[in-house]
Short mmCIF file of all heavy atoms in Angstrom, two decimals:
data_model
loop_
_atom_site.label_atom_id
_atom_site.label_comp_id
_atom_site.label_asym_id
_atom_site.label_seq_id
_atom_site.Cartn_x
_atom_site.Cartn_y
_atom_site.Cartn_z
N ASP A 1 4.97 15.19 -0.40
CA ASP A 1 4.62 15.27 1.01
C ASP A 1 5.64 14.53 1.84
O ASP A 1 6.12 13.45 1.46
CB ASP A 1 3.23 14.69 1.27
CG ASP A 1 2.14 15.52 0.61
OD1 ASP A 1 2.37 16.72 0.38
OD2 ASP A 1 1.07 14.95 0.31
N ALA A 2 5.95 15.08 3.00
CA ALA A 2 6.95 14.47 3.86
C ALA A 2 6.50 13.08 4.33
O ALA A 2 7.30 12.15 4.38
CB ALA A 2 7.23 15.37 5.07
N ARG A 3 5.23 12.97 4.65
CA ARG A 3 4.67 11.68 5.04
C ARG A 3 3.92 11.13 3.82
O ARG A 3 2.77 11.48 3.57
CB ARG A 3 3.78 11.81 6.26
CG ARG A 3 4.56 12.29 7.48
CD ARG A 3 3.82 12.14 8.77
NE ARG A 3 4.65 12.52 9.90
CZ ARG A 3 4.30 12.43 11.17
NH1 ARG A 3 3.08 11.94 11.48
NH2 ARG A 3 5.12 12.79 12.14
N VAL A 4 4.63 10.30 3.11
CA VAL A 4 4.16 9.87 1.79
C VAL A 4 2.92 8.99 1.93
O VAL A 4 2.83 8.13 2.81
CB VAL A 4 5.27 9.10 1.05
CG1 VAL A 4 4.79 8.65 -0.32
CG2 VAL A 4 6.51 9.97 0.92
N ARG A 5 1.98 9.21 1.00
CA ARG A 5 0.77 8.40 0.93
C ARG A 5 0.89 7.43 -0.24
O ARG A 5 1.26 7.81 -1.35
CB ARG A 5 -0.46 9.28 0.75
CG ARG A 5 -1.77 8.48 0.63
CD ARG A 5 -2.97 9.39 0.44
NE ARG A 5 -4.21 8.63 0.34
CZ ARG A 5 -4.93 8.20 1.36
NH1 ARG A 5 -4.52 8.46 2.60
NH2 ARG A 5 -6.04 7.51 1.18
N PHE A 6 0.58 6.16 0.01
CA PHE A 6 0.62 5.11 -1.01
C PHE A 6 -0.80 4.61 -1.25
O PHE A 6 -1.56 4.40 -0.30
CB PHE A 6 1.52 3.95 -0.57
CG PHE A 6 2.95 4.35 -0.34
CD1 PHE A 6 3.36 4.82 0.90
CD2 PHE A 6 3.88 4.26 -1.36
CE1 PHE A 6 4.68 5.19 1.13
CE2 PHE A 6 5.19 4.62 -1.15
CZ PHE A 6 5.60 5.10 0.10
N GLU A 7 -1.12 4.37 -2.53
CA GLU A 7 -2.44 3.87 -2.88
C GLU A 7 -2.30 2.78 -3.94
O GLU A 7 -1.38 2.82 -4.76
CB GLU A 7 -3.34 4.99 -3.42
CG GLU A 7 -3.61 6.10 -2.41
CD GLU A 7 -4.48 7.20 -2.99
OE1 GLU A 7 -4.90 7.06 -4.17
OE2 GLU A 7 -4.73 8.19 -2.29
N TRP A 8 -3.23 1.82 -3.93
CA TRP A 8 -3.24 0.75 -4.92
C TRP A 8 -4.69 0.30 -5.15
O TRP A 8 -5.60 0.69 -4.42
CB TRP A 8 -2.38 -0.43 -4.45
CG TRP A 8 -2.71 -0.93 -3.07
CD1 TRP A 8 -3.62 -1.87 -2.71
CD2 TRP A 8 -2.10 -0.47 -1.84
NE1 TRP A 8 -3.63 -2.04 -1.36
CE2 TRP A 8 -2.70 -1.21 -0.80
CE3 TRP A 8 -1.11 0.47 -1.52
CZ2 TRP A 8 -2.35 -1.04 0.54
CZ3 TRP A 8 -0.76 0.64 -0.20
CH2 TRP A 8 -1.38 -0.10 0.82
N ALA A 9 -4.89 -0.51 -6.19
CA ALA A 9 -6.23 -0.95 -6.54
C ALA A 9 -6.81 -1.86 -5.46
O ALA A 9 -6.11 -2.72 -4.91
CB ALA A 9 -6.21 -1.68 -7.89
N HIS A 10 -8.09 -1.67 -5.17
CA HIS A 10 -8.76 -2.47 -4.14
C HIS A 10 -9.18 -3.82 -4.71
O HIS A 10 -9.69 -3.92 -5.83
CB HIS A 10 -9.99 -1.73 -3.63
CG HIS A 10 -10.85 -2.55 -2.73
ND1 HIS A 10 -10.41 -3.04 -1.52
CD2 HIS A 10 -12.14 -2.99 -2.87
CE1 HIS A 10 -11.38 -3.73 -0.95
NE2 HIS A 10 -12.44 -3.73 -1.75
N ASN A 11 -8.94 -4.88 -3.95
CA ASN A 11 -9.40 -6.21 -4.30
C ASN A 11 -10.54 -6.58 -3.36
O ASN A 11 -10.35 -6.68 -2.15
CB ASN A 11 -8.26 -7.23 -4.16
CG ASN A 11 -8.64 -8.62 -4.60
OD1 ASN A 11 -9.81 -8.99 -4.61
ND2 ASN A 11 -7.65 -9.41 -4.97
N PRO A 12 -11.77 -6.78 -3.89
CA PRO A 12 -12.90 -7.06 -3.01
C PRO A 12 -12.75 -8.34 -2.19
O PRO A 12 -13.40 -8.50 -1.17
CB PRO A 12 -14.10 -7.18 -3.98
CG PRO A 12 -13.61 -6.83 -5.31
CD PRO A 12 -12.14 -6.74 -5.29
N GLU A 13 -11.88 -9.25 -2.65
CA GLU A 13 -11.68 -10.50 -1.94
C GLU A 13 -10.50 -10.46 -0.98
O GLU A 13 -10.14 -11.48 -0.38
CB GLU A 13 -11.47 -11.65 -2.94
CG GLU A 13 -12.66 -11.84 -3.89
CD GLU A 13 -12.41 -12.93 -4.90
OE1 GLU A 13 -11.27 -13.48 -4.92
OE2 GLU A 13 -13.34 -13.26 -5.66
N ALA A 14 -9.89 -9.30 -0.83
CA ALA A 14 -8.68 -9.19 -0.02
C ALA A 14 -8.98 -9.46 1.45
O ALA A 14 -9.92 -8.92 2.03
CB ALA A 14 -8.08 -7.80 -0.18
N GLY A 15 -8.15 -10.33 2.05
CA GLY A 15 -8.18 -10.50 3.49
C GLY A 15 -7.20 -9.56 4.16
O GLY A 15 -7.44 -9.05 5.25
N ALA A 16 -6.07 -9.33 3.49
CA ALA A 16 -5.06 -8.39 3.97
C ALA A 16 -4.15 -8.02 2.81
O ALA A 16 -3.98 -8.78 1.86
CB ALA A 16 -4.25 -9.02 5.10
N TYR A 17 -3.60 -6.82 2.92
CA TYR A 17 -2.61 -6.38 1.95
C TYR A 17 -1.23 -6.41 2.60
O TYR A 17 -1.08 -6.24 3.82
CB TYR A 17 -2.91 -4.94 1.49
CG TYR A 17 -4.20 -4.82 0.72
CD1 TYR A 17 -5.33 -4.26 1.32
CD2 TYR A 17 -4.30 -5.24 -0.60
CE1 TYR A 17 -6.53 -4.13 0.62
CE2 TYR A 17 -5.47 -5.12 -1.32
CZ TYR A 17 -6.59 -4.56 -0.70
OH TYR A 17 -7.76 -4.44 -1.40
N HIS A 18 -0.22 -6.62 1.76
CA HIS A 18 1.17 -6.70 2.23
C HIS A 18 1.97 -5.61 1.52
O HIS A 18 2.00 -5.57 0.28
CB HIS A 18 1.75 -8.08 1.93
CG HIS A 18 0.81 -9.20 2.30
ND1 HIS A 18 0.55 -9.55 3.60
CD2 HIS A 18 0.04 -10.01 1.53
CE1 HIS A 18 -0.32 -10.55 3.62
NE2 HIS A 18 -0.65 -10.83 2.37
N PHE A 19 2.62 -4.76 2.29
CA PHE A 19 3.30 -3.58 1.76
C PHE A 19 4.77 -3.60 2.16
O PHE A 19 5.12 -3.97 3.29
CB PHE A 19 2.63 -2.31 2.30
CG PHE A 19 3.35 -1.04 1.95
CD1 PHE A 19 3.06 -0.36 0.78
CD2 PHE A 19 4.32 -0.52 2.80
CE1 PHE A 19 3.73 0.80 0.45
CE2 PHE A 19 4.99 0.65 2.49
CZ PHE A 19 4.69 1.31 1.31
N GLN A 20 5.61 -3.21 1.21
CA GLN A 20 7.03 -3.05 1.50
C GLN A 20 7.55 -1.78 0.83
O GLN A 20 7.23 -1.51 -0.33
CB GLN A 20 7.84 -4.25 1.01
CG GLN A 20 7.67 -5.51 1.84
CD GLN A 20 8.58 -6.63 1.40
OE1 GLN A 20 9.12 -6.62 0.29
NE2 GLN A 20 8.80 -7.61 2.28
N LEU A 21 8.38 -1.05 1.57
CA LEU A 21 9.09 0.11 1.07
C LEU A 21 10.57 -0.13 1.30
O LEU A 21 10.99 -0.52 2.39
CB LEU A 21 8.64 1.38 1.81
CG LEU A 21 9.42 2.66 1.50
CD1 LEU A 21 9.17 3.12 0.08
CD2 LEU A 21 9.04 3.77 2.51
N ALA A 22 11.37 0.08 0.25
CA ALA A 22 12.79 -0.22 0.34
C ALA A 22 13.62 0.89 -0.28
O ALA A 22 13.13 1.70 -1.07
CB ALA A 22 13.11 -1.55 -0.35
N ALA A 23 14.90 0.91 0.11
CA ALA A 23 15.84 1.89 -0.43
C ALA A 23 16.58 1.37 -1.65
O ALA A 23 17.40 2.09 -2.22
CB ALA A 23 16.84 2.30 0.65
N ASP A 24 16.27 0.10 -2.07
CA ASP A 24 16.95 -0.47 -3.23
C ASP A 24 15.97 -1.32 -4.01
O ASP A 24 14.97 -1.82 -3.47
CB ASP A 24 18.15 -1.31 -2.80
CG ASP A 24 17.73 -2.52 -2.00
OD1 ASP A 24 17.12 -2.33 -0.92
OD2 ASP A 24 17.97 -3.64 -2.46
#
């Protein structure tokens, strides 16, 4: 898909998730 979807395991204690996408 042109607009890529990212998914990861849910942490019930999560206050926030931190995501990074890089070219290297």
Side-chain angles (χ1 to χ4, degrees):
D1 293 336
R3 298 193 175 184
V4 180
R5 179 180 180 84
F6 299 87
E7 297 179 3
W8 52 88
H10 172 63
N11 184 337
E13 300 178 355
Y17 295 105
H18 314 288
F19 173 89
Q20 287 186 342
L21 173 68
D24 65 299

